[in-house]
Amino acid sequence: MSLQPLKILVLLMVLVVPSWADDEFLDPEDAFRFSASLVSPGMFEVRYVIADGYYMYLDRFRFDVEPRGIVLGTPRFPAGQWHEDEFFGRSQVFRGQVIIGIPIVAGADVSGTIRLIAVSQGCADAGICYLPTEQTKDFELIGSLGAPSLTR
Amino acid sequence: MSRAVQVLLFVAVMLVAGVGGYWLSGPPRPGAVDVGPVLAATLPDLSGAPQTIGNWRGKVLVVNFWATWCPPCLEEIPQFVRMQERLGGQGLQFIGIAIDEPEKVRMFAQKNAINYPIMIGQLDAIELSKSAGNKAGGLPYTIVLDRSGRVVSQHYGGLNEEILQPIFDDLL
């Protein structure tokens, strides 16, 4: 057996790196990876990719948009999974991934940036809950929101 | 280098790597926490009166960041109440910092007969917990300080009497 320095280094990395990663809780942005798109002139779609061992509460999502002249409708959630705890009883939660449709019920003449604001909250099975997290996505639009040209 | 020496060297390196990996990956090391902002912080209590955490210096302090929307936070609090009742006379002092709406905190504190000071904060309390080592911003998050104000223990997630008692045995 010949133990060259490179082999030793590789073995060190194999031992050290996973043990570091496994014991750390993820930052909320990594536990609940957010993305958003404008899938039609009247509908935003928000997607969260949820890390293994983490979940998000259905009733703690909030969505808003700027500028204020634009009005969002009721978000369309898929069915969640039932989660039970002794304090809040049964709640619907999402694991793995959730895609939420957010209709735009009243548009406005927009030329420039509109910002979708998403607030969410989730927990880790290992026993911590994250503070509500706000994430945003900017869209560059030309024209009215009812029939926008999406430039970015 | 003989084969036996190579094997011994390999075992030694692996031991160092294992111990080092454990050390690096374990709970945040108390030395990494700047407790100054926590002791200097002034936040309103349940009656709205400002309270400075440093005023309790000299006791063994357990500073617990929590919220009413956080199930693991609610699970540990009755145990804190029991330990405060049992060990308060020996110099143990729990302090709760709720990142929440004041009315919800007041209702929960009343219902659960919380017998230690609760302060309420928003963004300021979030930043405080991060300065105290709560990198991921999760709750509950708890630090234990000895009588000189040095952080001796940090905990992500729920605590119970079995975990805390040995820590207190060394400090009280």
Side-chain angles (χ1 to χ4, degrees):
Chain A
M1 179 173 61
S2 173
L3 291 173
Q4 298 161 355
L6 185 61
K7 287 184 180 175
I8 293 175
L9 182 63
V10 169
L11 283 166
L12 275 169
M13 291 173 70
V14 166
L15 279 173
V16 172
V17 172
S19 62
W20 177 308
D22 285 348
D23 288 353
E24 290 277 339
F25 285 105
L26 295 173
D27 287 337
E29 293 78 10
D30 296 323
F32 314 112
R33 281 192 285 124
F34 164 84
S35 61
S37 58
L38 191 61
V39 292
S40 74
M43 181 75 75
F44 288 111
E45 187 178 273
V46 168
R47 179 189 302 252
Y48 290 91
V49 177
I50 304 165
D52 286 347
Y54 293 76
Y55 57 91
M56 305 182 83
Y57 284 97
L58 182 151
D59 63 0
R60 296 183 197 166
F61 287 100
R62 300 285 181 272
F63 300 101
D64 201 354
V65 68
E66 294 174 346
R68 294 289 172 188
I70 302 165
V71 179
L72 300 178
T74 303
R76 298 172 186 172
F77 294 98
Q81 300 176 19
W82 287 107
H83 175 85
E84 185 147 4
D85 70 64
E86 64 175 301
F87 301 101
F88 301 130
R90 274 158 59 87
S91 310
Q92 282 202 64
V93 301
F94 298 109
R95 292 177 183 273
Q97 176 174 272
V98 57
I99 299 172
I100 305 157
I102 306 162
I104 301 161
V105 295
D109 287 335
V110 175
S111 184
T113 303
I114 63 168
R115 170 168 291 180
L116 180 67
I117 302 158
V119 177
S120 61
Q121 199 264 311
C123 300
D125 289 326
I128 68 164
C129 290
Y130 292 90
L131 296 159
T133 302
E134 180 179 297
Q135 291 157 304
T136 63
K137 173 74 183 284
D138 288 348
F139 299 88
E140 293 295 329
L141 298 175
I142 299 170
S144 71
L145 195 60
S149 299
L150 185 61
T151 60
R152 190 168 74 195
Chain B
M1 192 184 294
S2 73
R3 184 182 176 85
V5 172
Q6 282 185 347
V7 170
L8 278 173
L9 181 63
F10 175 78
V11 170
V13 166
M14 292 302 104
L15 274 172
V16 169
V19 171
Y22 178 80
W23 185 77
L24 287 168
S25 66
R29 291 172 297 288
V33 175
D34 177 10
V35 76
V38 174
L39 292 173
T42 298
L43 293 167
D45 65 15
L46 293 178
S47 69
Q51 300 289 346
T52 302
I53 297 168
N55 289 346
W56 282 279
R57 199 164 173 167
K59 297 192 170 195
V60 172
L61 289 182
V62 184
V63 181
N64 171 239
F65 293 88
W66 67 287
T68 61
W69 44 260
C70 159
C73 302
L74 307 187
E75 196 170 336
E76 65 183 357
I77 284 176
Q79 301 185 69
F80 293 170
V81 170
R82 283 198 296 273
M83 298 194 89
Q84 181 64 55
E85 172 71 24
R86 186 160 54 81
L87 299 171
Q90 297 178 40
L92 178 67
Q93 185 64 62
F94 280 85
I95 294 173
I97 300 179
I99 301 170
D100 209 331
E101 298 169 30
E103 192 50 40
K104 289 182 178 175
V105 177
R106 273 192 283 270
M107 286 175 61
F108 182 83
Q110 191 172 17
K111 184 178 175 188
N112 290 273
I114 294 181
N115 55 355
Y116 53 85
I118 297 288
M119 280 155 264
I120 301 171
Q122 302 298 325
L123 284 175
D124 49 353
I126 294 169
E127 290 308 312
L128 201 60
S129 82
K130 288 185 175 175
S131 76
N134 184 10
K135 287 186 297 180
L139 298 178
Y141 177 71
T142 306
I143 56 174
V144 180
L145 284 69
D146 67 13
R147 293 179 191 270
S148 69
R150 188 176 61 95
V151 177
V152 295
S153 183
Q154 295 168 263
H155 300 273
Y156 290 107
L159 284 169
N160 56 42
E161 296 185 51
E162 284 182 4
I163 296 170
L164 284 171
Q165 187 63 54
I167 297 170
F168 297 155
D169 287 345
D170 290 340
L171 297 174
L172 293 173

